[in-house]
Amino acid sequence: MPEPSTRLFLILPPIADAFAFRPVLAAALKAGDVACVLLRSGQDVKAIAQALMPLVQEHDAAFLVEGDPRLVARTGADGVHVAYSANGIESALSSLGADAIVGAAALATRDEAMSAGELGASYVMFGEPDAGGARPSAEHTLERVAWWAEIFNVPCVAYAGSLDEVGPLAEARAEFVALADVVWKHPAGPAEAIKEANTLLANAVLTA
């Protein structure tokens, strides 16, 4: 049976002191394969990016910022992660060019996901929490990932609310599994969470 090639998409927590956070992030990145690191909006994005982005890129991971595409130019990030709207996706693609990553999130319906893919988004994300912290059920995210993988070539990122969700999402053929609090709040530390997640990915087996 073929093995999945799913990789991790790491979402950073709120960061009060970027330089104090660097050793924590460094340990996580050294613990296992991470394809991408996302810095959420609502923080001092430029200063945090300047402190953390070189470390991320040294580990051959892409560094993304959330929200305004102009932050890519201001920070030197590899791309932007935006809440879906047709105008927002088109604007980001137009302003950043073909080499930048433009990811589409907050996709409420299948139609929105298809629209994002047709417009040229680099990836679509399923299952992430909304602004209030609520997220779809694990079953809903798994169904959405399996549907997408069956029909579309645009990569999908599947948000896992627990490590238990990692293997099934990989087996549903998500190209990336996004992890956030499950890493930063892991009782044994973020590095151990990354190790466990990579083991789960390695052990996941495609059944079709």
Side-chain angles (χ1 to χ4, degrees), residues 137-147 158 165 167-172:
S137 69
E139 293 76 14
H140 181 275
T141 301
L142 191 62
E143 180 276 328
R144 192 57 53 92
V145 169
W147 160 74
E165 298 173 29
L169 290 170
E171 291 171 354

Side-chain angles (χ1 to χ4, degrees), residues 58-139:
E58 284 169 12
H59 286 83
D60 295 321
F63 190 91
L64 304 184
V65 291
E66 181 183 48
D68 190 341
R70 290 175 294 183
L71 290 170
V72 173
R74 283 161 41 194
T75 63
D78 297 297
V80 67
H81 178 87
V82 297
Y84 171 79
S85 75
N87 288 340
I89 298 294
E90 289 177 332
S91 176
L93 290 166
S94 175
S95 62
L96 297 180
D99 292 336
I101 299 167
V102 175
L107 299 159
T109 66
R110 290 187 177 194
D111 285 344
E112 288 185 356
M114 290 188 289
S115 173
E118 290 165 358
L119 288 168
S122 306
Y123 65 80
V124 296
M125 179 179 277
F126 297 123
E128 77 275 19
D130 62 20
R135 59 181 293 259
S137 69
E139 293 76 14

Side-chain angles (χ1 to χ4, degrees), residues 177-194:
V177 170
L179 299 176
D181 285 352
V182 66
V183 169
W184 311 116
K185 296 181 179 180
H186 192 285
E192 181 60 30
I194 295 295

Side-chain angles (χ1 to χ4, degrees), residues 5-9 33-36 59-61 174-178 201:
S5 56
T6 307
R7 302 181 69 196
L8 295 182
F9 183 113
D33 177 57
V34 173
C36 182
H59 286 83
D60 295 321
E175 282 83 2
F176 304 93
V177 170
L201 294 178

